[in-house]
Amino acid sequence: MTSFLTGRTQQVAYIGQLSPILPVLYGVPQGSVLGPLLVVLYTTELHDVVAKHGVTLHQYADDCQVYASMPVCDSQIAIDRLSKCMADVSDWPDGGRLRLNPGNTEVMWLGSKFCIDKITVLDISVLSVSIRVSDSARILGVVVNSLLSMADHVSSLCRSVLLPASTTATGHQIHHRRH
C-alpha cells in the first residue's frame, strides 16, 4: 500500500512547455483499482461529521450529497444545519486535506410545487460563498429537478442525442459516385 501512494511525481505539459517535476503529496491515482476503496476508507469518518448536524450524507467515491429533510416552515433551520455542516466538513480532518469546492456546490429544494413556492430563500451562504438555489442538478449523471420529475433528465438526454445527429447531418456533405 505504501509503495502505491508514496514516491509519486507529476509534470504538466502545456503548449510545448514542461513544468518542473513535483512530488504528489496527496490524492489517489485516478483510474486505479484501489482508488475508490481508498477514498471510502479515507472518508469513513465524514459520515459521523455530517450526522451530528442532523443531516444525511450520500456518497459515491468523491461525489457527495448532503440532505436535510424537514417541513417548509423550518427551511431556515435546514439552511443553518447545512451551513454549519459544510463548515465542519471543511475543517475535517485536521489540516484540511479534503477541500470543498464551492464552485461545484449546488443547493436545491426538493418537494411539491406547492411547498417549494412557499420557500423564499434564493441564495444560501456556503463557506462564505453565496450559492444560488437551482431548479435542477446532475447527480451521478442523472439530472434531478426540484419536483423530482424526470423531465429535465429526458430533455438532457434528448439534447445529447439530437445535437450530434444534427451536427452530423449538417456538418458532412454526402458525395454520390455514379458508375
Side-chain angles (χ1 to χ4, degrees):
M1 185 67 74
T2 301
S3 65
F4 180 70
L5 297 175
T6 59
R8 295 180 297 131
T9 59
Q10 71 179 7
Q11 184 176 42
V12 176
Y14 181 71
I15 312 176
Q17 300 291 318
L18 292 175
S19 71
I21 297 173
L22 297 172
V24 176
L25 303 176
Y26 303 103
V28 175
Q30 278 196 315
S32 66
V33 174
L34 284 177
L37 175 62
L38 291 174
V39 168
V40 168
L41 290 173
Y42 180 75
T43 60
T44 298
E45 296 172 9
L46 189 57
H47 287 270
D48 296 332
V49 172
V50 170
K52 77 177 188 180
H53 294 281
V55 297
T56 304
L57 173 70
H58 178 262
Q59 181 179 7
Y60 181 80
D62 64 344
D63 187 27
C64 301
Q65 293 88 39
V66 179
Y67 302 93
S69 176
M70 54 197 53
V72 171
C73 60
D74 292 336
S75 60
Q76 189 57 52
I77 294 171
I79 292 167
D80 294 342
R81 284 185 184 178
L82 290 171
S83 294
K84 289 175 184 172
C85 177
M86 293 298 100
D88 279 359
V89 168
S90 182
D91 292 342
W92 172 89
D94 294 331
R97 291 179 290 173
L98 180 66
R99 300 267 195 282
L100 292 179
N101 184 348
N104 287 344
T105 301
E106 294 181 90
V107 175
M108 184 171 57
W109 300 115
L110 300 174
S112 69
K113 181 166 175 34
F114 177 76
C115 288
I116 291 173
D117 287 345
K118 291 180 180 179
I119 302 173
T120 58
V121 178
L122 301 177
D123 296 286
I124 296 175
S125 180
V126 176
L127 303 176
S128 301
V129 175
S130 182
I131 307 292
R132 186 93 175 142
V133 174
S134 58
D135 293 327
S136 66
R138 185 174 295 273
I139 302 174
L140 298 175
V142 177
V143 180
V144 177
N145 69 16
S146 58
L147 301 175
L148 295 176
S149 82
M150 295 301 291
D152 290 354
H153 184 68
V154 170
S155 294
S156 173
L157 286 174
C158 289
R159 278 192 306 275
S160 69
V161 170
L162 293 178
L163 182 62
S166 64
T167 303
T168 302
T170 60
H172 298 287
Q173 294 180 349
I174 299 173
H175 297 282
H176 296 281
R177 185 185 303 179
R178 294 186 184 173
H179 292 280

